[in-house]
Amino acid sequence: MQNKVVIIGSGPAGLTSALYTARANLGPLVIRGLQPGGLITTTNEVENFPGFPETVGGFELTERMRQQAERFGTRFLDELIIKADLSQRPFALTTDSGQTIMAESLVIATGASPRKLGIPGEERLANRGVSYCATCDGFFFRNKRVVVIGGGNSALDEGLFLTRFVSELILVHRRDELRADPILQERAFDNPKIRFVWNTVVTEILGEDKVMGVRLKSLKTGEESTLPTDGVYPYIGHIPNNVLFKGQIPIDESGYLVTDGRTRTPIPGVFAAGDVVDHVYRQAITAAGQGCMAGMEVIWFLDEQEHFAKKAKLQMPAIQKPRPIQHAAILQGA
Ligand code: NAP
């Protein structure tokens, strides 16, 4: 299947690229991947996306973006890309069903995934009390105690959402200062269900087939203790989803794809936008902005390719087989 534009990822970056390229009649194909709508669908309330004075849910926000892109002719495929061959154009993408998709241009908007703690018990107890998405399963912790790890916007945003259900929330942070926005800090400090444990890390998640507790270690005193809990939510940042592009596109030391500031990668026709490149802002609105940039770059790139192809077509016959002198003279004069 040959496509003018393929977009990998369906978060704000991918869907905005889709909107722009669809409105240019390029009929983009969006590969939605494992998490249609992207990571923001796990955010309960988005308060800082302009245009929604009463806040909007993360899922609703991207669903609206999807509908808007679809209205102008975007196509969607609910598959996962497992291989991307960017060695020549058109680029060849292989999906998990074995389908090959050819792309004259590509927008990489694969986003980022929650960073794991990498401690004993985390993998074993995933979905058995360890979760990375309060919006998805907070309900199951009704009247229970949960531990949230991290001091950024995600930890506080999701933590505040969890307080709708839980009886008590212990926020464990490795420093004695939060990095979350002041407005979220204020709400968390004012919330009677939230208790803070400072200068402390979780070293193990305890339990056999469900979470029973966590082992804590004070970074100030080195003292260890255990804390009974029913749930653990690590919110310690994200890692860019770059696996498909390793060895093909430059990646910085933190794992972000490197672009030139205009969303262009060193491979002509391949662009990248959103959380897979952005190590500074990482907001839905900046992802959407970069998605717009990538969409416009795609339009310009394909226009240029078409222009070159037309020019080559005009010149080719003259090079390949000599034309009658009269015709060649007209071409030269043109
Ligand atoms: P983040 O801002 O990078 O914060 C990660 C937190 O985890 C930090 O407090 C960090 O501690 C802690 N941490 C990192 N590694 C750790 C480890 N191994 N053990 C214990 N703690 C660890 O990540 P985020 O909160 O996921 O936010 C990511 C981006 O999304 C940010 O730009 C954020 O603004 C955005 N976001 C915005 C909203 C919103 O506006 N409502 C909501 C969610 C996310 P230190 O502070 O000591 O470094």
Side-chain angles (χ1 to χ4, degrees):
M1 184 173 30
Q2 176 105 357
N3 299 276
K4 286 200 158 122
V5 194
V6 174
I7 297 163
I8 312 180
S10 54
L15 292 175
T16 309
S17 285
L19 174 63
Y20 274 74
T21 51
R23 289 190 73 254
N25 282 337
L26 293 173
L29 174 68
V30 173
I31 316 289
R32 300 216 299 167
L34 275 182
Q35 193 166 37
L39 203 60
I40 196 168
T41 55
T42 66
T43 299
N44 181 50
E45 284 183 14
V46 182
E47 290 183 330
N48 51 10
F49 200 94
F52 296 90
E54 268 117 37
T55 82
V56 59
F59 177 80
E60 189 193 339
L61 179 65
T62 49
E63 178 52 21
R64 281 169 174 244
M65 290 180 184
R66 189 196 65 73
Q67 287 171 9
Q68 195 174 357
E70 192 172 44
R71 187 177 143 213
F72 296 103
T74 300
R75 296 162 297 138
F76 296 91
L77 184 67
D78 280 329
E79 293 197 27
L80 193 65
I81 300 297
I82 54 166
K83 189 173 165 224
D85 180 356
L86 309 184
S87 60
Q88 56 181 5
R89 224 172 51 89
F91 311 114
L93 309 169
T94 310
T95 73
D96 51 351
S97 74
Q99 185 175 170
T100 302
I101 294 170
M102 304 304 287
E104 285 176 42
S105 68
L106 181 67
V107 176
I108 300 168
T110 45
S113 298
R115 187 191 300 282
K116 304 276 164 68
L117 288 158
I119 56 173
E122 185 180 24
E123 212 175 301
R124 179 165 41 88
L125 295 166
N127 301 320
R128 295 169 175 196
V130 176
S131 168
Y132 303 87
C133 176
T135 324
C136 316
D137 51 23
F139 180 79
F140 297 112
F141 294 96
R142 190 174 281 273
N143 297 324
K144 297 191 169 168
R145 176 195 269 176
V146 295
V147 166
V148 169
I149 306 160
N153 278 336
S154 298
L156 265 66
D157 214 20
E158 305 295 304
L160 284 162
F161 175 71
L162 281 171
T163 58
R164 294 178 187 204
F165 311 106
V166 302
S167 56
E168 190 183 13
L169 187 150
I170 318 284
L171 193 133
V172 178
H173 184 37
R174 63 182 178 183
R175 293 187 294 136
D176 60 1
E177 205 183 334
L178 300 169
R179 73 164 62 230
D181 293 345
I183 189 165
L184 290 174
Q185 294 197 29
E186 210 176 294
R187 283 181 205 158
F189 291 137
D190 284 348
N191 192 308
K193 286 190 180 174
I194 301 181
R195 182 155 65 87
F196 292 85
V197 177
W198 303 110
N199 301 307
T200 298
V201 289
V202 174
T203 54
E204 186 177 355
I205 302 174
L206 307 166
E208 274 312 309
D209 48 13
K210 64 175 185 153
V211 169
M212 301 293 285
V214 287
R215 197 182 303 284
L216 302 176
K217 184 177 179 184
S218 162
L219 295 179
K220 276 256 161 96
T221 62
E223 195 184 318
E224 294 201 46
S225 57
T226 56
L227 176 74
T229 183
D230 300 293
V232 179
Y233 285 87
Y235 284 116
I236 59 163
H238 296 93
I239 44 172
N241 296 322
N242 61 22
V243 166
L244 291 171
F245 314 105
K246 277 187 176 159
Q248 303 192 79
I249 293 175
I251 291 173
D252 73 13
E253 65 282 0
S254 306
Y256 294 91
L257 300 189
V258 177
T259 57
D260 66 352
R262 277 180 57 177
T263 74
R264 296 180 297 195
T265 72
I267 302 175
V270 179
F271 306 86
D275 281 2
V276 73
V277 291
D278 180 6
H279 55 97
V280 181
Y281 305 104
R282 296 176 294 176
Q283 304 296 304
I285 185 67
T286 49
Q290 288 176 6
C292 158
M293 289 160 68
M296 293 180 75
E297 291 291 346
V298 162
I299 296 165
W300 294 331
F301 173 80
L302 290 177
D303 271 358
E304 200 178 70
Q305 295 303 308
E306 202 177 319
H307 173 75
F308 286 150
K310 272 190 193 147
K311 214 166 152 195
K313 220 172 177 181
L314 277 177
Q315 283 167 359
M316 227 189 304
I319 298 162
Q320 285 182 340
K321 90 177 149 173
R323 289 175 165 220
I325 290 165
Q326 207 184 354
H327 195 165
I330 294 167
L331 270 182
Q332 274 166 13

